[in-house]
Amino acid sequence: MIQPLPYSLEGKRVWVAGHRGMVGAALLRRLESENCAEILTASRDELDLMRQADVEAWTRAKKPDAVFVAAAKVGGILANDACPADFLYDNLMIEANVIRASFHAGVEKLLFLGSSCIYPRMAPQPITEESLLTGPLEPTNEWYAIAKIAGIKLCQAHRRQHGADFISAMPTNLYGPGDNYDLQSSHVLPALIRKAHEARKRGENSIEIWGTGAPRREFLHVDDCADALVFLMKYYSDDAPVNVGSGADVTIREIAEMIASLAGLNCALRFNKSKPDGTPRKLMSADKLRALGWAPKINLKEGVKAVFEDYVKAASSK
Ligand code: GFB
């Protein structure tokens, strides 16, 4: 049943599926101030989200009122390109199981997380929500994108057929605490933080940047993202997805220079053109979310500085 707005989380049992991930963990921090009755989480040992019967049984037993679907197999450009079967299959299974089980368990409201890569590679910029399914996808991540599009459609289909209050949000490239720093599977921002830190430690005078440095990316701190997701859960109920971004983008060269300067490095950037650039630009329009009344609070430079300092602290204590 579609819930009246605002949908308060106070006194509710809220399931954060994927609470060990960067977004899920940020949601747990953000939900502390919502006076929920209980925040439900399940570790992978307790519940494998790829197993339909287990997810159905767990969800019926726990009876969540609201669900955030933050569980997903995620990774940077190379991981997406190298493991298309895993990115397509795992994400289809996870979202299908969690969304359907939530419906069967009578969940009042569900928010599904997509990604900005669902939009066509050459979508007009800034990309509005209406661009969905208007053109071909970026080949390096079309597998992940197809799975995420299926998740959006599954929410829309449950709204249409059953009147379920299932919505979806499309976050841009995120960064923040709890990120993946593995150089083969990470996104660009954590990769560059690690590379800059290690270059400084070894006294090297250059760092390697994949591709040409020309692609543009929009970055949002994960705490801003979690705040926007809670906002949407409370104040949004409709068929169409909502973009969650900062509204501004930078080139990969610019973000690399910012990180090198945070590390105090006056070093050369070596562009490795054998690695893919991916989408040339994916700046999402922030208009819809702004019109609803939400805006980000964490400035890119300050956010990256804080994450860089945390990384250095953690790396030095190892
Ligand atoms: O963050 P990233 O891996 O993912 O790469 P996408 C962004 C850009 O940074 C690409 C360049 O142009 C990369 O070539 N880059 C430069 C680097 N140096 C590095 C490096 O050391 N590591 C990495 N990883 N990139 C992903 C999608 O796309 O973004 C997913 O594959 C998802 O599906 C996610 O949507 C948000 O922004 O290209």
Side-chain angles (χ1 to χ4, degrees):
M1 212 182 38
I2 305 298
Q3 303 296 312
L5 295 176
Y7 175 74
S8 172
L9 290 168
E10 194 171 339
K12 298 287 164 79
R13 295 168 63 76
V14 182
W15 179 19
V16 178
H19 71 287
R20 291 255 169 91
M22 181 167 70
V23 178
L27 275 168
L28 294 190
R29 294 194 291 276
R30 174 60 186 78
L31 286 168
E32 277 172 17
S33 53
E34 290 297 314
N35 288 324
C36 305
E38 193 178 354
I39 306 293
L40 303 167
T41 57
S43 67
R44 202 168 291 192
D45 295 343
E46 191 189 343
L47 177 65
D48 181 347
L49 295 176
M50 308 260 288
R51 297 195 176 273
Q52 184 184 23
D54 294 353
V55 179
E56 289 277 342
W58 190 91
T59 313
R60 275 181 206 272
K62 297 288 180 177
K63 296 188 179 49
D65 299 303
V67 178
F68 289 91
V69 190
K73 178 171 179 63
V74 297
I77 191 163
L78 223 58
N80 269 265
D81 207 24
C83 308
D86 296 350
F87 276 84
L88 180 56
Y89 179 81
D90 291 12
N91 286 305
L92 284 173
M93 294 301 284
I94 293 167
E95 71 204 17
N97 289 341
V98 175
I99 292 170
R100 192 67 169 171
S102 297
F103 169 63
H104 287 151
V107 163
E108 289 175 348
K109 192 152 187 184
L110 174 146
L111 185 150
F112 171 71
L113 265 93
S115 161
S116 59
C117 71
I118 58 154
Y119 294 117
R121 178 172 205 271
M122 300 312 284
Q125 312 278 323
I127 312 171
T128 62
E129 289 81 357
E130 289 74 37
S131 291
L132 181 61
L133 292 172
T134 56
L137 298 163
E138 154 62 31
T140 53
N141 58 35
E142 68 176 320
W143 320 94
Y144 179 73
I146 291 277
K148 288 292 181 185
I149 292 170
I152 299 167
K153 289 289 157 194
L154 203 53
C155 290
Q156 291 176 344
H158 280 79
R159 276 187 94 83
R160 185 168 304 189
Q161 188 179 338
H162 300 292
D165 204 349
F166 291 2
I167 60 172
S168 44
M170 300 307 117
T172 186
N173 288 38
L174 303 173
Y175 70 96
D179 213 338
N180 167 20
Y181 287 89
D182 174 79
L183 292 180
Q184 291 311 305
S185 61
S186 69
H187 290 100
V188 61
L189 213 145
L192 295 184
I193 286 178
R194 178 169 175 177
K195 287 179 186 178
H197 171 68
E198 289 179 356
R200 179 169 66 180
K201 226 170 51 185
R202 295 194 204 109
E204 288 165 0
N205 59 8
S206 70
I207 53 176
E208 186 197 72
I209 313 295
W210 293 353
T212 61
R216 303 184 71 88
R217 290 291 182 272
E218 177 187 5
F219 296 102
L220 183 73
H221 193 283
V222 71
D223 286 336
D224 267 339
C225 177
D227 190 54
L229 299 176
V230 170
F231 176 89
L232 287 170
M233 183 64 106
K234 287 158 81 170
Y235 298 106
Y236 184 76
S237 177
D238 216 329
D239 222 34
V242 183
N243 293 341
V244 177
S246 64
D249 64 356
V250 292
T251 64
I252 297 302
R253 177 192 283 273
E254 285 164 347
I255 197 78
E257 286 168 351
M258 182 194 286
I259 292 169
S261 106
L262 281 172
L265 287 170
N266 187 10
C267 69
L269 304 177
R270 273 180 291 120
F271 292 96
N272 178 350
K273 294 180 187 153
S274 73
K275 292 284 198 293
D277 267 346
T279 311
R281 190 179 189 196
K282 47 176 172 179
L283 173 64
M284 295 195 302
S285 163
D287 290 354
K288 191 168 173 175
L289 189 52
R290 291 281 167 104
L292 287 165
W294 185 88
K297 295 189 192 75
I298 305 171
N299 159 284
L300 179 63
K301 202 161 177 194
E302 282 156 21
V304 173
K305 184 167 184 272
V307 171
F308 182 83
E309 285 166 0
D310 282 352
Y311 177 81
V312 172
K313 214 182 288 164
S316 329
S317 67
K318 271 184 195 156

